[in-house]
């Protein structure tokens, strides 16, 4: 197995005023199959993806994995959250992140709080999203069934079966996406990937192989 390089850095995002912190893992071979952007929930940061091995696992599978600290959180506390700038701002925010990191079309992994950014981005910039992996995100109820039906992006909906609130609410809305699969993680709560990293990594890699 080729060695994996994990680095840290910052990326300038105009809407945030200050740079965002990120962690990145790339295959040692330098050959990259997919670019994967990992977001996080309100109590979390990019460090979680480092600790449970998601960055390393993705890079070992041949992908470029980048986990950012969202504005106002983690090591990006000085960055301003773009939500207040206007309703198109959350989608434009992720477009600026992807451009700054030169990610191209991304696989977007979006748990919990990060749904406020990922869902507008998916609707406004669908051509920039190669695949979407929502993990019980918020804001799914702010989008109509018709809007969901218009999105053709391959989607893997993941949630823990102990997450009876956001997990089930988000599923009932996200299943309006026409090109989706569902993975229910048994015995796992809201941050299901933390409860069972092994099942999470297998589900994610199996899905990426289909792209």
């Amino acid at each position: 197995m080729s060695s994996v390089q994990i680095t840290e850095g910052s990326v300038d995002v105009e809407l945030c005023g200050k740079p965002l912190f990120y962690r990145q893992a790339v295959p040692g071979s330098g050959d990259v199959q997919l670019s994967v952007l990992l977001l996080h929930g309100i109590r979390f940061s990019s460090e979680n993806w480092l600790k449970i091995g998601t960055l390393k696992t993705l890079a070992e599978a041949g992908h470029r994995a980048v986990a950012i600290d969202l504005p106002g959180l983690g090591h990006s506390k000085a960055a301003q959250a773009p939500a207040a700038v206007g309703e198109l701002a959350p989608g434009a925010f992720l477009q600026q992140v992807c451009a700054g990191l030169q990610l191209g079309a991304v696989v977007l992994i979006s748990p919990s709080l990060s749904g406020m950014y990922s869902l507008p981005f998916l609707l406004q910039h669908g051509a920039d999203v190669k695949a979407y992996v929502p993990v019980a995100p918020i804001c799914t109820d702010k989008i109509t069934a018709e809007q969901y039906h218009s999105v053709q992006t391959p989607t893997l909906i993941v949630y823990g079966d102990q997450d009876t609130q956001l997990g089930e609410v988000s599923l009932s809305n996200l299943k309006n996406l026409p090109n989706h699969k569902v993975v229910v993680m048994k015995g796992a709560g809201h941050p299901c990937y933390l409860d069972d990293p092994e099942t999470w990594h297998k589900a994610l890699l199996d899905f990426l192989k289909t792209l």
Side-chain angles (χ1 to χ4, degrees), residues 84-163:
V85 188
E87 65 178 68
L88 292 178
F93 158 70
L94 281 183
Q95 189 185 35
Q96 289 183 2
V97 170
C98 291
L101 292 165
Q102 298 181 312
L103 289 170
V106 293
V107 176
L108 188 59
I109 297 178
S110 176
S112 197
L113 167 88
S114 66
M116 67 184 287
Y117 301 113
S118 67
L119 286 160
F121 182 60
L122 183 67
L123 287 176
Q124 296 160 21
H125 305 284
D128 296 331
V129 186
K130 186 160 185 73
Y132 184 46
V133 185
V135 188
I138 66 170
C139 296
T140 59
D141 54 344
K142 296 187 175 175
I143 293 165
T144 66
E146 290 71 29
Q147 286 176 303
Y148 279 121
H149 290 154
S150 71
V151 175
Q152 295 303 316
T153 307
T155 299
L156 180 69
I157 301 167
V158 182
Y159 72 103
D161 68 355
Q162 302 303 301
D163 184 6

Side-chain angles (χ1 to χ4, degrees), residues 35-120:
S35 293
V36 183
L37 179 61
L38 297 113
L39 308 179
H40 62 82
I42 194 163
R43 291 183 294 120
F44 304 106
S45 71
S46 63
E47 187 177 3
N48 297 96
W49 299 122
L50 180 69
K51 280 187 169 173
I52 66 169
T54 304
L55 288 168
K56 182 170 180 275
T57 298
L58 285 166
E60 284 176 347
H63 309 303
R64 177 187 175 194
V66 181
I68 63 168
D69 283 3
L70 288 166
L73 300 169
H75 292 300
S76 299
K77 281 194 172 63
Q80 179 188 344
V85 188
E87 65 178 68
L88 292 178
F93 158 70
L94 281 183
Q95 189 185 35
Q96 289 183 2
V97 170
C98 291
L101 292 165
Q102 298 181 312
L103 289 170
V106 293
V107 176
L108 188 59
I109 297 178
S110 176
S112 197
L113 167 88
S114 66
M116 67 184 287
Y117 301 113
S118 67
L119 286 160

Side-chain angles (χ1 to χ4, degrees), residues 158-180:
V158 182
Y159 72 103
D161 68 355
Q162 302 303 301
D163 184 6
T164 52
Q165 292 179 307
L166 260 176
E168 292 176 8
V169 168
S170 60
L171 174 67
S172 68
N173 294 312
L174 291 166
K175 64 185 182 187
N176 286 302
L177 289 163
N179 189 3
H180 78 266

